[in-house]
Amino acid sequence: MMMQLALIPTLMRKFFPMTNVIQHYAWGSTSSINQLFDIKNPSAEPQAEVWMGAHPNGCSTVGYGEHATKLSTLINCNHRLFLSEQIANRFGELPYLFKILAAEKALSIQVHPNKAQAERGFAVEQQQGIPLDAANRNYKDPNHKPELVYALTSYQAMNGFRSIDQIIANFEQLAIPEIKAWLDELKANLTPQGLATFFSALLSMTGQQKDQALSKLSSYANEYAKKYTNQSDDPLFALIAELEHQYPGDVGLFAPLLLNVITLEPGQAMFLDAETPHAYIKGTGLEIMANSDNVLRAGLTPKFMDIDELVACTRFDEKPFDSLLLQPNKSDDIWDYPIPVDDFKFSIIQHSHQRIMYTHGAEILLPLDQGMTLTHPDGESCVIEKGQSVFIPAYAQSYRIECAGRVARAYN
């Protein structure tokens, strides 16, 4: 029946309210998503992520007739109708995953491979026969994983390497004997290769050397935090002290000395490049990414870390702090965030009064502040509450939106 309907777009619905999977990861907040979007949490579990899309590990469902069906099943009825011919030919699936993410505890420091690295690494591990769910598997698919985060609350993160001069100054302040020789080598080789060697050496520490170096870092950070109770005096070491309580004995505690630490204010956004170390520390935001599970970890995690592969897939370039925020292109109260990949686009519609929107691919809309009403030229209409998302297929072509608050738009 669905195949027949998929072949007759004039008989098909244009708006598909979504029921989304909530991921209860341990680092998630028990209250933020409930407070922002009235999504119930009767068992007070961590609500870490709400997944909106067709990813196999957390596929949304939509109503179709009298039945609920997975969004992926609906799309698979006819890729060209639901995604557009161009997107279907280019990707063969909905090419992005849209999330609400609420972090109460820091996530692992991560690097995502670029597309070529992912294709090569996936092929190698497939040939080696490593199971996809193996703990030591690096590549779950042959895709890259570019990401954008849009802050809904104050949102702290790490993104990209500080300048080498800053890194040296931070470690000199600590004066840890166990890493002095590596620091001297970096001072003698102020290049990306020098930084790569230093980074690899830090992450590869084991045994007594690691324990003593981390003990000195912890003592310094906690003493500093006691001395300066106002974090604005030096939030760097206050942050390390906080992370040490979450991940004691983890080599990733050195990361804030190496990476830019930034706090996004509500409404600010940041892009996370491939081959760039980053981590989310605390806060609630929206995240949109390409459909991929490829993660190379660099600390703040008990999970497997492949240091050699991590270093091979990392660009050791300095990332200027003033380049971290994405500046939106603003037009008629629509803020479009420039993204250097074609897997997805992201916009915030600030408010709408009978605004006509045109779609060329599959879209997901999420009202952030209050409910919205959608109307199609054929007369179909749909009311979507705050925090509820709706899937709009490519064949809809256009729709009218009415909402006095912000609406997040994920699309192609």
Side-chain angles (χ1 to χ4, degrees):
M1 179 64 174
M2 292 184 72
M3 278 299 296
Q4 293 174 346
L5 287 175
L7 295 175
I8 311 174
T10 56
L11 298 181
M12 296 187 68
R13 287 169 45 193
K14 311 305 186 299
F15 307 124
F16 293 87
M18 303 165 70
T19 300
N20 300 308
V21 173
I22 298 178
Q23 306 287 9
H24 300 284
Y25 305 137
W27 49 260
S29 170
T30 59
S31 60
S32 186
I33 290 176
N34 169 260
Q35 291 172 356
L36 288 172
F37 297 113
D38 302 323
I39 295 176
K40 297 185 185 305
N41 188 15
S43 57
E45 292 182 272
Q47 292 179 315
E49 296 181 344
V50 179
W51 285 26
M52 297 169 281
H55 196 285
N57 293 340
C59 186
S60 302
T61 59
V62 295
Y64 200 96
E66 298 179 355
H67 305 285
T69 187
K70 287 186 176 182
L71 181 59
S72 57
T73 301
L74 185 71
I75 291 171
N76 287 339
C77 289
N78 193 314
H79 290 85
R80 285 174 170 79
L81 282 177
F82 284 94
L83 302 178
S84 83
E85 185 170 359
Q86 179 183 0
I87 297 300
N89 291 339
R90 171 78 172 81
F91 297 101
E93 63 178 2
L94 185 69
Y96 59 82
L97 176 63
F98 193 24
K99 298 180 181 180
I100 304 169
L101 185 150
E104 190 67 30
K105 180 180 177 182
L107 283 67
S108 61
I109 305 159
Q110 303 179 3
V111 170
H112 303 308
N114 64 32
K115 180 70 171 173
Q117 291 164 344
E119 290 175 344
R120 182 172 61 249
F122 181 77
V124 168
E125 291 187 336
Q126 287 291 92
Q127 188 175 25
Q128 292 172 342
I130 303 174
L132 281 173
D133 59 354
N136 65 332
R137 177 95 189 203
N138 290 316
Y139 298 95
K140 304 297 180 66
D141 53 68
N143 201 13
H144 63 169
K145 193 183 178 186
E147 300 172 340
L148 175 144
V149 61
Y150 173 87
L152 296 173
T153 68
S154 179
Y155 196 95
Q156 192 174 34
M158 291 184 277
N159 185 6
F161 286 106
R162 298 173 180 267
S163 71
I164 294 178
D165 287 344
Q166 280 186 313
I167 292 170
I168 291 172
N170 288 339
F171 279 90
E172 284 186 329
Q173 186 174 347
L174 291 169
I176 297 177
E178 286 77 13
I179 60 179
K180 183 179 184 303
W182 301 329
L183 188 60
D184 288 341
E185 289 181 18
L186 177 59
K187 290 159 70 174
N189 184 13
L190 304 174
T191 66
Q193 182 55 52
L195 180 56
T197 301
F198 181 71
F199 182 74
S200 178
L202 279 178
L203 294 186
S204 300
M205 282 192 298
T206 57
Q208 188 176 20
Q209 182 185 32
K210 174 186 173 182
D211 293 341
Q212 290 180 349
L214 286 170
S215 177
K216 292 179 174 67
L217 173 65
S218 176
S219 296
Y220 187 97
N222 282 286
E223 191 62 33
Y224 201 100
K226 289 178 186 176
K227 184 177 179 181
Y228 297 100
T229 55
N230 182 358
Q231 289 193 6
S232 63
D233 291 323
D234 192 333
L236 177 60
F237 289 103
L239 172 60
I240 292 173
E242 180 182 350
L243 292 175
E244 197 268 340
H245 290 296
Q246 297 179 14
Y247 296 97
D250 193 297
V251 72
L253 295 174
F254 285 110
L257 305 172
L258 294 157
L259 306 180
N260 293 302
V261 178
I262 183 170
T263 299
L264 304 180
E265 296 304 322
Q268 293 182 326
M270 181 169 65
F271 186 75
L272 302 153
D273 291 298
E275 305 173 84
T276 301
H278 63 273
Y280 298 149
I281 299 171
K282 189 174 184 179
T284 301
L286 304 179
E287 186 182 38
I288 182 169
M289 64 186 67
N291 255 340
S292 174
D293 250 351
N294 289 326
V295 173
L296 299 166
R297 295 177 178 85
L300 302 184
T301 180
K303 295 182 179 179
F304 174 69
M305 287 170 49
D306 186 334
I307 305 301
D308 291 340
E309 192 67 16
L310 170 73
V311 171
C313 292
T314 299
R315 285 200 313 267
F316 290 90
D317 299 327
E318 301 173 357
K319 194 173 183 69
F321 187 85
D322 60 7
S323 72
L324 295 178
L325 290 181
L326 271 182
Q327 299 303 324
N329 299 316
K330 302 178 182 180
S331 175
D332 192 24
D333 293 322
I334 297 179
W335 293 14
D336 291 315
Y337 290 84
I339 298 169
V341 296
D342 60 359
D343 302 70
F344 57 85
K345 297 177 182 177
F346 179 78
S347 299
I348 295 290
I349 305 167
Q350 296 296 330
H351 56 80
S352 299
H353 177 65
Q354 302 297 317
R355 184 190 303 274
I356 303 297
M357 303 292 294
Y358 297 93
T359 179
H360 305 288
E363 300 192 359
I364 296 174
L365 299 182
L366 175 72
L368 303 179
D369 305 309
Q370 53 188 284
M372 67 178 178
T373 300
L374 303 175
T375 307
H376 191 264
D378 68 4
E380 181 182 343
S381 64
C382 180
V383 176
I384 301 295
E385 300 301 325
K386 177 182 71 172
Q388 182 185 18
S389 61
V390 58
F391 175 76
I392 304 175
Y395 62 75
Q397 297 184 346
S398 70
Y399 55 89
R400 186 169 70 246
I401 180 170
E402 177 77 28
C403 185
R406 294 170 300 163
V407 176
R409 183 190 189 202
Y411 62 113
N412 294 111

